[in-house]
Amino acid sequence: HMEEIRKIIHIDMDAFYASVEQRDNPELRGKPVIVGGDPHSRGVVATCSYEARAYGIHSAMPAKIAQKRCPYAIFVRPRFDVYREVSEQIRDIFHRYTDLVEPLSLDEAFLDVTNPKIPIKYATTIAKFIKRDILIETGLSASAGVSYNKFLAKLASDLDKPDGFYCILPEDLEQKVWPLSIRRMMGVGSKTAQMLEQMGVDTIGKLAHMDVGLLEHLLGKQGIQMHELSNGIDGRNVEPVRESKSVGRETTFPQDIREQYLLETILFTLADDVCHTLRSSGLKGRTVSIKIRYPDFHSITRAVTLDSYTSSFEPVFDAVRSLMA
């Protein structure tokens, strides 16, 4: 028998940090707002309002370049404690409808509403209720994607931003998904995209019709996964994560850095900062992890668990150095 079709919603807040700033400071409304670092130093754009996006500004762009593209953009320092509070408010809204909530970051999450907490027949109705609740209770707009798996729900939420609502049913694959650029595929970096485009494979539909053996030959395991996704197959479950119990710091550089001593210096300050935060909050931790992001934006994480809980710098930095090595 056919297994029950799942109902997955992906909610993505629209220009989240910037929208919170515009909400809290009416003078910023309707203006190009950039939340992030200082354009006069090595700052980077964390997020920007839709008014700023019109100038080709996007997150992770060096602030200097953003300022060149839009000289009268308003730069705002991020207030992460506020964003975290709002994020928790939004998470509480999700939990009214289902406990199968998987937050991806402060501003997006997957929800499985196959069996919701309240008897609502359609996932589309639930998604509209959630958007409405978020707007009424936080004053912010969200985009929702509704589909039968994670890949398509996330794709859908991106197709109608801002304040978007988009649904992809199994019978919509051909019309709604296959004409899209392969660059919309999850996990397809620009290198992979370029290689496929050179072979004339520039849409998700063309990818779906490619020989899976050839894809595996070109891209290994990832090729098989891409073939499945492009055919609307994605078995991943929505994994509810418990409230994160960690303290972290990260930084992004305007130029790629390879020198070990520079990286160690930066890690030194990040580790010091984390330990300082732990001590000032009266917390201790046991697992130390580092994350490195490469120029093509793929990340690797390494972690180690110490013998005892600590908030002092030496054991933490020792762990960081060995992980780095």
Side-chain angles (χ1 to χ4, degrees):
H1 76 117
M2 282 280 292
E3 76 174 290
E4 178 185 33
I5 190 161
R6 292 181 299 156
K7 300 174 181 181
I8 309 293
I9 300 173
H10 181 257
I11 298 278
D12 195 1
M13 299 302 297
D14 300 320
F16 183 53
Y17 303 163
S19 299
V20 173
E21 296 305 334
Q22 287 178 320
R23 175 193 79 174
D24 294 350
N25 180 355
E27 284 176 19
L28 299 176
R29 287 176 204 167
K31 294 184 182 155
V33 173
I34 294 173
V35 177
D38 185 347
H40 304 298
S41 68
R42 311 183 90 181
V44 64
V45 175
T47 192
C48 58
S49 68
Y50 280 89
E51 293 85 0
R53 290 180 197 195
Y55 293 87
I57 296 166
H58 54 79
S59 53
M61 172 182 273
K64 272 200 176 78
I65 295 177
Q67 195 177 36
K68 277 206 184 77
R69 290 199 178 174
C70 180
Y72 45 84
I74 304 163
F75 282 82
V76 181
R77 291 308 257 172
R79 296 179 299 154
F80 287 108
D81 45 340
V82 178
Y83 309 149
R84 210 163 277 126
E85 255 169 58
V86 179
S87 181
E88 276 171 23
Q89 242 184 309
I90 294 165
R91 226 164 268 181
D92 291 342
I93 293 172
F94 295 157
H95 280 279
R96 290 173 202 166
Y97 297 92
T98 176
D99 284 325
L100 291 178
V101 176
E102 179 181 344
L104 298 180
S105 57
L106 290 180
D107 61 344
E108 56 171 323
F110 282 115
L111 289 73
D112 184 327
V113 295
T114 316
N115 298 299
K117 284 175 160 180
I118 42 182
I120 300 175
K121 190 174 172 191
Y122 299 109
T124 48
T125 311
I126 296 178
K128 284 176 180 160
F129 282 172
I130 289 173
K131 273 168 58 75
R132 181 205 60 189
D133 292 353
I134 291 174
L135 185 62
I136 291 171
E137 294 170 43
T138 71
L140 300 168
S141 85
S143 294
V146 182
S147 195
Y148 54 99
N149 63 39
K150 277 178 154 180
F151 167 62
L152 293 173
K154 186 162 167 56
L155 187 72
S157 71
D158 204 32
L159 290 176
D160 186 31
K161 293 187 79 72
D163 193 23
F165 179 83
Y166 203 83
C167 179
I168 299 174
L169 300 168
E171 59 268 28
D172 295 333
L173 203 62
E174 214 170 313
Q175 259 85 53
K176 291 184 176 178
V177 179
W178 281 357
L180 299 171
S181 157
I182 52 164
R183 291 176 183 261
R184 289 214 179 247
M185 292 278 305
M186 194 183 54
V188 172
S190 57
K191 284 198 186 77
T192 307
Q194 273 168 342
M195 181 184 76
L196 289 166
E197 283 162 357
Q198 279 164 352
M199 298 169 57
V201 180
D202 56 352
T203 65
I204 296 179
K206 286 182 188 165
L207 183 66
H209 289 89
M210 255 181 100
D211 178 69
V212 70
L214 174 61
L215 270 168
E216 185 180 11
H217 172 70
L218 293 170
L219 296 163
K221 227 186 189 148
Q222 192 206 358
I224 301 175
Q225 191 199 14
M226 281 168 54
H227 191 258
E228 287 187 347
L229 294 178
S230 64
N231 279 289
I233 300 163
D234 177 9
R236 292 172 305 151
N237 289 320
V238 173
E239 311 272 0
V241 232
R242 291 179 302 284
E243 203 44 60
S244 85
K245 301 279 186 224
S246 63
V247 172
R249 289 289 176 275
E250 58 180 75
T251 186
T252 308
F253 317 111
Q255 279 91 27
D256 302 335
I257 294 183
R258 299 204 177 280
E259 293 78 13
Q260 179 107 22
Y261 73 96
L262 274 177
L263 291 169
E264 284 208 346
T265 314
I266 289 148
L267 285 167
F268 184 93
T269 51
L270 293 178
D272 187 43
D273 206 5
V274 165
C275 292
H276 185 259
T277 305
L278 285 172
R279 289 192 297 272
S280 60
S281 325
L283 299 169
K284 288 183 177 192
R286 224 182 115 186
T287 301
V288 180
S289 68
I290 65 170
K291 181 174 86 175
I292 295 180
R293 178 176 277 169
Y294 290 100
D296 65 357
F297 274 96
H298 92 271
S299 303
I300 59 166
T301 311
R302 295 288 180 269
V304 62
T305 300
L306 309 174
D307 297 332
S308 56
Y309 288 90
T310 184
S311 59
S312 40
F313 175 76
E314 284 76 15
V316 172
F317 188 58
D318 284 345
V320 166
R321 282 177 84 159
S322 63
L323 289 171
M324 177 71 199

